[in-house]
Amino acid sequence: MFVVIYDARAMPYIPMDDEVVHRIKKSNVESITLYDDSLNESELTIKVGSMILLARETNNSLLFGKVEAVLMKNTNIVNANKILKIYYADVLQQRHAFFEALNKIEKINTPEANVLRATIYINLGKYKKASSECKKLIGKADLLVASTCLLHAESYQGNLLQSLSTLKKITNQFKHNSNLIPAWTLTALADMSDRLGDNNSSINYYQIASKANPNNVHVVSEMTDVFYKNNQQDKIIDVLENNHEDIRLSLRYFRSLIQQGKIRSQHSSELIMLKESILLLEMRKDERHYDTRAEYYTWIENDSAKAIFWAKKNWQVSQTPASATLLLRTITFDNNHNYEHKKLAAEVESWIKKNNVEDYSLLKMIRKISISEVTA
Amino acid sequence: MKFIFICLSMFLCVNVFAHQSSTSFVNFEQGNNNINGVWKIAIEDLTDIRNFDANNDGGIQWQELKNNKNLLLLSLKGGLKLISDNGMCDIEHSNSRLSLENTLDRNYILFPFKANCSMSSITIIKYNYFFDVDSDHKGIITISENENKPSIYVASVNNRVFNINSNQADSFVGIVKEGVWHIWMGFDHIIFVLTLLFGLLFTSDSSKPDKKSKIIEVTKVITAFTVAHSITLALAALDIMSPSIRLIESAIALTLVIAAIHNVRHHFPTKTISLFSWPIWKMAFVFGLIHGFGFANVLAEMNLSMTDIAKTLLAFNLGVEIGQLAIVVLFILTSLILFSFIKRSSLKKLIPISSILVMFVGTFWFVERAFEVTIF
């Protein structure tokens, strides 16, 4: 069952003088001072650092564009300051400008720069390079940071089971005080368990991580994806009922409502907002959120041609298990399998073999497509 | 180390945006004596420039915005510039009445404006608004002219100037370039033409071995190929004939195999097949018809406006011919150099080797395209 979403645009009007036309958000109030001041090096470092933190705490990635604008206006200060360069690279990677981010920290070898490079390489599917960056952390960063980085990168290179069990042993040392385990380590454990097909352990790790970081969209979104694999749609609706302002979460929430036949009239305005967000991405010629569009056209609009188009673009930009999964998901959603689908699945399969990728659900989807009949 | 944990907690890059990215919309059209336009800006963006909440109640009332009308208009000054044949068009905001447009997740102020020039005289649009506040900002400029489809330009931090009057020339040159690029990058077309020329120049059965007659032969072959592919390119572009891409691409691969066999026909008992006793120009013409459909597929993929189809066809074909001529000239020059250093009898030995190679490549492409399989 899918839904029909209508456009709703109000005509322009002249409001009454006392009409409140905008509610100010906390993040905007804090950002005002950033533009008024002429900042020196230390003020800029503190401001930019706090803006990045605020963006993460409030899950407002729009702030990254504002931080970048400030950094762009202060190029001379930024170029002479390692921390600001790392902040700049971090902002760039958040905005998917991966290669620019790598250039920005090219000659910096602090643990922060190593971690950032490893993060970027993992996003780009360059796992050997990620491992090499993580190895540089040994002796420079604490055991948990270095081992999470290294073992997660190694888990993408044919060492999934071994990496997972080693990281489990290391984290077991903190089992009496799990607060000391960072969300990153927990999500790495969850991701590895998920790829092994151990959905329950994966959900468990995500739940611990989300308790400590309830605003972390990545954690919640990944957790609901594992619920989805477990066919626990009601759990997804429960978790996201009051937490789906973010577009990724919103897509997952409405996916479950639609598939469960639980869409009601009160959801229509949110669905229109979702549609407008997607249309705006297209109007803006956005080159970063291909995956979001693929998910929207698969789950909400049931337009498999558009979904496959965006999933293919996403796969071309970064070849990772996540982008491969999305591509195959869009294909399996289309009931009419054609030679193009088979060809794409074969491309993913050869990438899996070449890179020794271990991912239980990915392999399951490949098999499903391989044995399906060509119908169109 | 705190940074590391913040960073790591977001290990996988997150595609989040809780709200819509900063976007303003500029629409304009020809009025009676001047241009009428509306610039639509989100109030949320304006709050990043200035604090309009005079009473600090966390909400902005319409009156608070009206009180700052001059400041708002000042902030727009220079943000949009229209340059015509006669210089800068003055943009007039001051007497305009502001209005409001509600969408579900944000409100926009509408700033009407007039520009004292005609639409057809505008050559350059410069958009330079808000990039110093948010590097992710985009300005979507829509120009409605007569009954044509509106032209849309998307301004970003890296793309702020649009040269609109030279578009026709630009697109003509652009399409010519695409044509050149296609013949250079479309190895199947190059290999086909070179195989024919190779046979023509290096085989000994030519009844007219002198240089002059060879040049006439080459001209005949190239002319036949050009005329043929121009015919089918036009037929396909005008939608008179549209054979399937798979069929055409497979047939193109097959033309390579046949052209290669033609070059070594004396070594095989092929004389009974009339195809192999054709003169090379005839082969160039017949197979050129197939290659023309291949060019048409590329033209279709370019998704060009087909309102002026004659111009588009002319430009693309011109590009193909320029690219083709460059290859032919290069090949003839190389052959002349080879002829002056190496004996003709030694060069003749290259024919079977090169033909087998072309046969192999042609067969490989044929299998890949006809059966839609990826061999490597």
Side-chain angles (χ1 to χ4, degrees):
Chain A
M1 180 194 158
F2 288 88
V3 288
V4 179
I5 303 164
Y6 299 97
D7 283 315
R9 286 182 185 282
M11 291 295 288
Y13 68 102
I14 297 171
M16 302 295 284
D17 284 350
D18 60 352
E19 182 176 334
V20 175
V21 291
H22 180 72
R23 289 264 165 223
I24 299 171
K25 296 181 183 78
K26 182 177 174 272
S27 55
N28 287 89
V29 174
E30 296 213 5
S31 67
I32 288 167
T33 52
L34 197 66
Y35 311 111
D36 290 345
D37 300 337
S38 156
L39 304 163
N40 64 31
E41 190 172 337
S42 61
E43 286 167 340
L44 186 66
T45 311
I46 294 166
K47 279 284 179 192
V48 169
S50 62
M51 285 294 289
I52 292 175
L53 197 59
L54 182 68
R56 288 192 169 132
E57 280 176 351
T58 57
N59 264 318
N60 187 354
S61 67
L62 299 185
L63 285 177
F64 288 112
K66 293 171 186 174
V67 180
E68 189 184 6
V70 173
L71 290 164
M72 282 167 88
K73 279 195 285 191
N74 293 283
T75 319
N76 291 340
I77 301 176
V78 173
N79 286 342
N81 183 305
K82 272 186 189 177
I83 297 171
L84 281 170
K85 274 188 180 179
I86 293 169
Y87 282 157
Y88 204 157
D90 188 23
V91 168
L92 288 169
Q93 74 100 10
Q94 289 294 335
R95 294 168 38 65
H96 294 212
F98 296 124
F99 296 103
E100 287 172 48
L102 288 170
N103 283 340
K104 201 53 92 185
I105 50 169
E106 198 180 1
K107 288 173 185 161
I108 304 178
N109 260 314
T110 60
E112 292 88 344
N114 296 134
V115 168
L116 201 49
R117 269 196 289 271
T119 309
I120 293 168
Y121 285 134
I122 286 195
N123 277 308
L124 290 171
K126 295 179 185 298
Y127 304 118
K128 279 189 182 149
K129 285 190 172 180
S131 287
S132 146
E133 284 302 322
C134 295
K135 280 174 190 162
K136 291 177 191 165
L137 288 170
I138 298 169
K140 285 204 283 186
D142 72 38
L143 176 71
L144 210 48
V145 171
S147 52
T148 304
C149 182
L150 185 58
L151 292 166
H152 199 198
E154 286 290 316
S155 75
Y156 288 101
Q157 299 169 70
N159 303 316
L160 179 56
L161 188 60
Q162 196 187 350
S163 302
L164 177 61
S165 58
T166 311
L167 193 55
K168 268 183 185 172
K169 275 180 201 161
I170 295 169
T171 50
N172 272 345
Q173 296 170 24
F174 301 91
K175 66 182 173 190
H176 300 300
N177 196 355
S178 59
N179 291 338
L180 293 174
I181 306 173
W184 177 48
T185 306
L186 293 164
T187 53
L189 285 164
D191 172 54
M192 288 191 257
S193 306
D194 172 30
R195 280 187 285 128
L196 262 182
D198 182 0
N199 293 350
N200 293 334
S201 299
S202 176
I203 288 168
N204 188 36
Y205 287 123
Y206 279 131
Q207 278 174 331
I208 301 169
S210 93
K211 259 183 203 163
N213 308 270
N215 284 329
N216 192 320
V217 170
H218 173 66
V219 170
V220 180
S221 144
E222 294 296 311
M223 179 169 69
T224 56
D225 280 351
V226 189
F227 280 136
Y228 187 70
K229 286 175 191 171
N230 261 2
N231 203 20
Q232 292 173 284
Q233 301 271 22
D234 287 337
K235 287 258 185 193
I236 298 173
I237 295 168
D238 276 354
V239 170
L240 300 180
E241 184 84 59
N242 299 310
N243 181 22
H244 59 269
E245 197 184 0
D246 175 84
I247 195 163
R248 285 181 76 186
L249 302 184
S250 184
L251 283 167
R252 279 150 182 79
Y253 177 62
F254 286 110
R255 171 185 62 186
S256 292
L257 287 180
I258 290 168
Q259 290 179 8
Q260 293 285 293
K262 290 182 177 172
I263 286 285
R264 300 286 175 265
S265 57
Q266 75 259 26
H267 298 122
S268 62
S269 62
E270 281 187 87
L271 280 166
I272 293 169
M273 268 167 67
L274 196 55
K275 182 176 184 164
E276 288 195 345
S277 298
I278 299 294
L279 292 177
L280 187 64
L281 286 178
E282 287 172 19
M283 283 177 83
R284 285 169 54 91
K285 296 188 177 164
D286 177 278
E287 292 176 345
R288 285 181 277 138
H289 301 93
Y290 297 144
D291 52 351
T292 308
R293 274 169 276 184
E295 288 173 346
Y296 176 79
Y297 286 113
T298 309
W299 298 330
I300 313 294
E301 294 273 7
N302 192 26
D303 184 337
S304 58
K306 279 189 183 172
I308 292 172
F309 173 81
W310 291 115
K312 257 168 77 178
K313 288 199 95 154
N314 185 51
W315 168 250
Q316 282 157 3
V317 172
S318 73
Q319 300 199 331
T320 61
S323 59
T325 304
L326 181 59
L327 181 61
L328 297 183
R329 250 184 212 162
T330 58
I331 291 172
T332 48
F333 240 77
D334 188 354
N335 293 324
N336 300 316
H337 287 305
N338 59 29
Y339 287 106
E340 169 76 5
H341 296 169
K342 293 264 186 188
K343 202 172 170 183
L344 286 170
E347 194 183 316
V348 173
E349 193 173 12
S350 84
W351 171 80
I352 288 173
K353 281 180 187 156
K354 191 177 157 199
N355 294 286
N356 215 357
V357 175
E358 294 163 282
D359 190 317
Y360 175 77
S361 53
L362 197 54
L363 292 168
K364 209 168 124 185
M365 273 196 276
I366 288 269
R367 273 197 294 276
K368 193 178 165 189
I369 296 169
S370 306
I371 57 166
S372 65
E373 292 285 325
V374 171
T375 55
Chain B
M1 196 54 72
K2 190 185 174 191
F3 174 84
I4 289 187
F5 283 106
I6 294 164
C7 185
L8 298 188
S9 69
M10 302 293 286
F11 192 63
L12 288 169
C13 190
V14 184
N15 285 341
V16 296
F17 55 103
H19 312 284
Q20 291 183 351
S21 304
S22 165
T23 312
S24 90
F25 300 85
V26 180
N27 296 292
F28 52 92
E29 59 187 13
Q30 183 66 54
N32 290 334
N33 300 311
N34 47 23
I35 292 171
N36 293 326
V38 176
W39 195 347
K40 198 168 95 175
I41 299 172
I43 299 176
E44 189 170 4
D45 287 346
L46 294 171
T47 60
D48 279 331
I49 298 173
R50 191 176 173 82
N51 186 2
F52 295 101
D53 185 18
N55 58 10
N56 284 319
D57 63 354
I60 297 174
Q61 290 164 325
W62 185 244
Q63 181 67 54
E64 287 172 323
L65 283 177
K66 271 171 59 183
N67 292 344
N68 286 285
K69 184 178 172 185
N70 288 339
L71 266 170
L72 285 170
L73 294 177
L74 197 65
S75 77
L76 300 184
K77 206 170 170 62
L80 179 70
K81 286 179 182 168
L82 304 179
I83 299 163
S84 76
D85 296 330
N86 305 319
M88 193 77 79
C89 298
D90 289 328
I91 293 179
E92 186 65 54
H93 284 291
S94 56
N95 294 324
S96 58
R97 201 169 181 198
L98 306 185
S99 56
L100 187 86
E101 185 182 303
N102 288 326
T103 63
L104 284 167
D105 82 330
R106 55 173 41 194
N107 293 340
Y108 292 88
I109 302 190
L110 273 61
F111 296 91
F113 66 85
K114 286 185 191 301
N116 64 343
C117 50
S118 73
M119 192 75 87
S120 57
S121 68
I122 297 174
T123 51
I124 296 168
I125 299 173
K126 287 186 179 178
Y127 181 94
N128 191 19
Y129 177 72
F130 211 64
F131 296 125
D132 58 339
V133 177
D134 187 345
S135 67
D136 200 28
H137 174 78
K138 289 199 175 164
I140 298 176
I141 304 160
T142 307
I143 305 175
S144 307
E145 203 173 0
N146 305 326
E147 287 172 359
N148 293 340
K149 201 177 163 192
S151 309
I152 298 173
Y153 303 89
V154 180
S156 66
V157 71
N158 297 319
N159 188 23
R160 307 180 191 197
V161 180
F162 302 95
N163 204 333
I164 61 167
N165 219 18
S166 59
N167 256 9
Q168 281 192 328
D170 277 354
S171 61
F172 188 84
V173 175
I175 301 166
V176 171
K177 280 183 190 167
E178 286 290 340
V180 174
W181 193 243
H182 176 64
I183 191 96
W184 285 354
M185 287 294 108
F187 295 117
D188 41 7
H189 308 303
I190 296 176
I191 294 174
F192 176 72
V193 173
L194 292 184
T195 307
L196 292 183
L197 295 182
F198 210 73
L200 190 72
L201 293 179
F202 295 157
T203 47
S204 58
D205 69 331
S206 173
S207 55
K208 297 164 190 167
D210 60 291
K211 265 186 199 171
K212 194 181 163 191
S213 57
K214 285 282 185 198
I215 289 171
I216 292 170
E217 286 291 305
V218 169
T219 312
K220 269 167 75 180
V221 168
I222 296 302
T223 309
F225 185 66
T226 304
V227 171
H229 73 231
S230 303
I231 292 170
T232 42
L233 172 59
L235 285 175
L238 295 169
D239 235 357
I240 297 169
M241 283 179 79
S242 49
S244 90
I245 296 177
R246 192 171 155 200
L247 179 74
I248 289 302
E249 292 300 318
S250 312
I252 287 173
L254 220 50
T255 63
L256 303 189
V257 179
I258 297 169
I261 295 174
H262 189 272
N263 283 352
V264 289
R265 59 194 177 280
H266 304 295
H267 300 279
F268 299 103
T270 54
K271 283 184 180 169
T272 49
I273 306 169
S274 64
L275 179 69
F276 295 108
S277 57
W278 282 3
I280 295 180
W281 70 265
K282 193 174 172 185
M283 191 172 271
F285 183 83
V286 173
F287 292 162
L289 292 170
I290 301 172
H291 282 252
F293 283 120
F295 294 141
N297 293 335
V298 175
L299 198 60
E301 278 171 16
M302 284 162 66
N303 218 5
L304 295 166
S305 157
M306 284 293 171
T307 47
D308 194 353
I309 196 154
K311 190 193 80 181
T312 306
L313 268 175
L314 177 70
F316 188 72
N317 223 353
L318 193 64
V320 169
E321 305 323 329
I322 292 169
Q324 184 179 281
L325 200 64
I327 293 162
V328 171
V329 169
L330 193 70
F331 178 75
I332 292 175
L333 288 177
T334 316
S335 306
L336 287 174
I337 294 166
L338 286 174
F339 281 139
S340 56
F341 288 106
I342 307 168
K343 282 182 186 171
R344 186 177 290 269
S345 58
S346 309
L347 285 173
K348 269 172 63 183
K349 288 175 189 165
L350 285 176
I351 301 255
I353 303 166
S354 63
S355 298
I356 289 167
L357 265 175
V358 173
M359 272 185 252
F360 175 75
V361 172
T363 311
F364 171 78
W365 277 337
F366 176 75
V367 172
E368 268 206 335
R369 294 170 184 187
F371 303 105
E372 292 196 324
V373 291
T374 310
I375 297 174
F376 291 114

